[in-house]
Amino acid sequence: MLYLVRAPPEDNTHEIIYNTPTVTGEKIGEEKNMIRRIIRRGTLVIGAVILLTLVLSCAPSTMRSVVDSRGFLFGVAVRPGDLLDPKDSKLLKDNFNILVAENIMKLQYLRPTATFWNWSDVDSLVRFAEENRMKLRGHTFVWHNQNPPFINNLSDKEAALKVLTETITEVLTRYKGKFYEYDVCNEVIDDNGILRNSIWMRTIGPEYIDIAFKTARQADPSVKLILNDYNNEYAGTVKGDAFYNLVKGMVDRGVPIDGVGFQLHMLAELPVNKEALQANIKRFRDLGLTVSFTEVDVRIKLPVTPEKEAAQQAVYEDLLRIAREENISCFVLWGYTDAYSWIPGTFAGYGSAHPFDQNKQPKKLYGSLRKILEK
Ligand code: 9MR
């Protein structure tokens, strides 16, 4: 029997149907519909995939995705509140892949008495970094500043040695493998280029530095151990050379130091001495060490003018360009916003030192840093 099926004009299968007497017209119609449905569904899926790809490729990439894709560690110092405020924490996640605690890991806060350890804020920071695949810098064990009274009152060498080794061991045992770098000692050289007259120097003597590094290495073999300081970034200056000589001595003595930190608290009015900075980076490299830019900010003498902002931008740009060219260990800002800046409280008449303004909006400076990072 032959069934005549009226095929739609665009349907070019009607001949086959006409010439297939063993299959009913109804069944053929069903199959055709099914094929059409499958094709329609397939087209929809392909369309959706294309659309999604387009949307994703047009979505603006974040600073974070830029630095991640370049394998560059770009970070910032944070306060506990930054992690709790949803807007602040989003800004951190969108921009940075390494964090450091601005204050909470200093002994004044972390170990306020001989027997009390204030772990909770640090635990939260470590958790936040892990959840967001960020690295961490530790700051700091041995410093002359922000120590609790029980440390400032030490007078006996044995007691001081016990506090120093116990503190380092306790922290690095708890957070073993969690920190990328740690400022084992901070600012041990004073502005005249000699070992600073700190509580550690007075009670233990100059060997406290070697002891601190050896203790840290024993507690966590994986963390990079750093000696950090300010005004140490230029070769050929009193402090820069004193810092280098101290570090070279440590390397010669086989002390387990992995790198040095240049804090880089800069002034907009003083352009970067690129030659002296690069010469310094090179000589630490030649000792087998890494260099980190650990506390970058560039303060402006108020009031802010477009000229001063341009000068500030040039300083930031030079530092970032050199950091990328020299492939330094990490580039960390000492704060992202003028809203929480340490600058006005310390340098009267100065401010506007960071890439985000008082309202946490990116400044023109931010865009210029991003361009360098995108290269
Ligand atoms: O930014 C920190 C500020 O909140 C503290 O009041 C101050 C106390 O000295 O320390 C600031 O951070 C310093 C860092 O730990 C070491 N290098 C210099 C930084 C700016 O003073």
Side-chain angles (χ1 to χ4, degrees):
M1 252 206 326
L2 200 74
Y3 290 94
L4 279 180
V5 178
R6 189 181 293 269
E10 74 278 10
D11 190 339
N12 59 7
T13 60
H14 58 284
E15 272 178 32
I16 301 167
I17 295 167
Y18 286 155
N19 296 315
T20 314
T22 47
V23 181
T24 64
E26 222 171 84
K27 196 157 179 215
I28 290 166
E30 266 172 32
E31 280 173 1
K32 276 174 61 190
N33 284 339
M34 202 169 80
I35 290 167
R36 280 199 201 104
R37 275 201 300 275
I38 290 170
I39 290 173
R40 227 179 283 134
R41 250 179 238 153
T43 313
L44 273 177
V45 171
I46 292 166
V49 169
I50 291 172
L51 193 70
L52 190 70
T53 312
L54 277 174
V55 168
L56 287 179
S57 63
C58 293
S61 58
T62 59
M63 186 81 116
R64 169 77 194 264
S65 64
V66 170
V67 288
D68 278 354
S69 67
R70 269 100 184 132
F72 186 75
L73 290 179
F74 184 62
V76 69
V78 292
R79 311 158 322 131
D82 296 328
L83 314 183
L84 300 173
D85 182 297
K87 276 194 197 147
D88 292 353
S89 71
K90 179 170 185 331
L91 193 149
L92 296 180
K93 292 179 215 170
D94 283 352
N95 285 283
F96 304 105
N97 52 12
I98 180 165
L99 302 178
V100 59
E102 183 175 1
N103 284 303
I104 57 165
M105 296 196 77
K106 295 169 181 173
L107 302 188
Q108 175 187 5
Y109 300 104
L110 185 60
R111 195 181 182 187
T113 74
T115 52
F116 180 69
W117 294 85
N118 197 1
W119 298 119
S120 66
D121 283 338
V122 186
D123 286 351
S124 302
L125 175 64
V126 169
R127 209 177 313 118
F128 182 87
E130 278 178 349
E131 279 167 10
N132 295 292
R133 299 168 294 103
M134 293 163 153
K135 291 198 188 299
L136 286 167
R137 298 198 82 253
H139 178 81
T140 179
F141 292 125
V142 185
W143 195 21
H144 62 280
N145 204 354
Q146 289 183 286
N147 284 320
F150 90 93
I151 288 182
N152 288 331
N153 294 334
L154 285 167
S155 56
D156 169 75
K157 179 169 179 170
E158 287 314 307
L161 272 172
K162 182 169 181 287
V163 171
L164 181 132
T165 53
E166 201 178 63
T167 304
I168 295 174
T169 305
E170 191 80 16
V171 175
L172 285 183
T173 303
R174 183 180 181 92
Y175 298 120
K176 201 179 202 143
K178 305 281 186 195
F179 283 80
Y180 167 68
E181 291 186 351
Y182 216 110
D183 295 332
V184 178
C185 299
N186 189 41
E187 302 173 2
V188 298
I189 292 189
D190 73 11
D191 296 339
N192 301 314
I194 55 171
L195 281 182
R196 189 183 292 278
N197 179 15
S198 68
I199 186 68
W200 307 110
M201 183 72 176
R202 285 196 298 278
T203 51
I204 302 173
E207 65 267 30
Y208 80 87
I209 302 173
D210 291 7
I211 294 169
F213 276 80
K214 286 178 188 164
T215 308
R217 173 57 81 242
Q218 247 185 352
D220 185 352
S222 67
V223 60
K224 270 159 53 75
L225 305 180
I226 308 294
L227 185 68
N228 191 47
D229 216 321
Y230 65 88
N231 287 355
N232 60 341
E233 64 271 16
Y234 294 144
T237 59
V238 171
K239 185 155 173 183
D241 291 349
F243 182 82
Y244 172 78
N245 289 331
L246 170 69
V247 172
K248 181 165 184 325
M250 292 171 71
V251 171
D252 291 346
R253 289 193 295 279
V255 176
I257 177 171
D258 299 300
V260 294
F262 300 165
Q263 294 184 3
L264 297 163
H265 297 291
M266 309 296 267
L267 287 125
E269 65 224 56
L270 284 183
V272 176
N273 182 342
K274 290 177 254 178
E275 293 70 35
L277 177 55
Q278 280 178 300
N280 210 17
I281 293 172
K282 181 176 181 316
R283 65 180 174 171
F284 284 110
R285 282 264 166 76
D286 291 346
L287 291 179
L289 303 178
T290 61
V291 175
S292 306
F293 290 2
T294 55
E295 304 184 14
V296 181
D297 50 40
V298 183
R299 58 188 181 272
I300 291 180
K301 195 170 174 46
L302 302 174
V304 174
T305 64
E307 292 72 30
K308 290 180 194 172
E309 281 189 317
Q312 177 194 46
Q313 190 173 313
V315 173
Y316 265 110
E317 285 179 355
D318 282 344
L319 292 179
L320 193 54
R321 240 182 255 118
I322 289 173
R324 289 215 62 203
E325 272 167 37
E326 302 288 343
N327 199 19
I328 61 149
S329 180
C330 55
F331 186 104
V332 178
L333 305 172
W334 205 247
Y336 56 95
T337 165
D338 295 335
Y340 309 137
S341 178
W342 69 284
I343 297 281
T346 305
F347 301 101
Y350 280 86
S352 196
H354 312 281
F356 291 82
D357 67 16
Q358 289 282 351
N359 302 315
K360 301 171 199 165
Q361 293 305 306
K363 300 177 185 171
K364 182 165 164 267
L365 166 66
Y366 173 87
S368 82
L369 297 182
R370 181 166 169 152
K371 265 196 206 120
I372 292 174
L373 289 167
E374 275 169 352
K375 274 182 198 149

